[in-house]
Amino acid sequence: MQSLWPSENLLLGLLVEQPRHGYELARLVCDDPALRAIWRLKRSEVYFLLGKLLAQGHIAEVAQASGESPAGRRSAGPPRQIYEATPAGRAQLDAWLSEPVATPRDLRAAFLAKLYLAQRRDPATLSALLEGQRHVLGRWQARLLEVAPTEPFLAMVQRLRLAQVEAALAALADLRGLDDGAV
């Protein structure tokens, strides 16, 4: 199974929730403050990623909707393709959401996208993701604590990496409130 970019999985997750047309998806990604905190995708990038997901069989075109104005009136605009996740796309998303990110550097984009989708999806997915990520970061922390570089620059790099992992672990502890629907 080909690995998707986090932004592709994010679009796939939104399509698993419900079928949508490209413009609606682009508007959601571009206007949702939570998603904008993770990415700044342009409408053209959303359409590019939809093309990739379609070519890989993760989504399918299921219908065409006539163009509508923001007020809900029919407009002269072209019909819009409605996309939905395929069974392969749903399996891809389930697999992606069940795996914590492998490295601390992936927390900024990939983990936050997973967290966003998991909290929208269900408490069990969210809880499993948080627990899995805590274990991965705990292993990183243990490896970093085993290292005691004597060269000053390497010691500084090790301290910065350890601080990043410890901050992430503290943030995960704070996120436990998400399990209870507190956020």
Side-chain angles (χ1 to χ4, degrees), residues 53-180:
L53 289 168
L54 192 60
Q56 294 168 346
H58 294 300
I59 64 172
E61 296 172 336
V62 292
Q64 282 193 344
S66 61
E68 291 184 4
S69 69
R73 294 188 200 103
R74 188 175 164 91
S75 73
R80 296 183 177 135
Q81 287 295 336
I82 305 273
Y83 300 97
E84 73 176 6
T86 63
R90 290 176 187 276
Q92 160 63 35
L93 183 70
D94 289 343
W96 185 71
L97 286 176
S98 70
E99 288 292 321
V101 297
T103 64
R105 73 172 170 258
D106 293 328
L107 290 170
R108 164 66 181 86
F111 178 71
L112 290 177
K114 289 179 184 213
L115 191 63
Y116 177 86
L117 291 173
Q119 75 163 347
R120 290 171 63 107
R121 198 157 198 208
D122 72 89
T125 300
L126 178 62
S127 183
L129 176 62
L130 290 172
E131 188 60 24
Q133 197 60 60
R134 189 184 67 72
H135 283 296
V136 168
L137 288 170
R139 287 194 305 268
W140 270 90
Q141 181 184 37
R143 279 192 297 251
L144 288 167
L145 289 170
E146 290 173 357
V147 178
T150 55
E151 199 274 316
F153 182 78
L154 294 177
M156 179 199 60
V157 168
Q158 190 266 357
R159 283 192 310 273
L160 287 172
R161 286 182 175 163
L162 182 58
Q164 178 188 19
V165 168
E166 289 172 344
L169 283 166
L172 286 178
D174 291 344
L175 290 176
R176 291 220 180 263
L178 287 174
D179 283 334
D180 304 326

Side-chain angles (χ1 to χ4, degrees), residues 24-45:
E24 178 185 9
L25 207 54
R27 192 177 62 223
L28 175 62
V29 171
C30 295
D31 293 346
D32 183 316
L35 291 177
R36 288 184 58 78
I38 302 170
W39 278 291
R40 302 255 182 202
L41 289 177
K42 295 178 182 161
R43 188 177 315 160
S44 61
E45 292 170 301

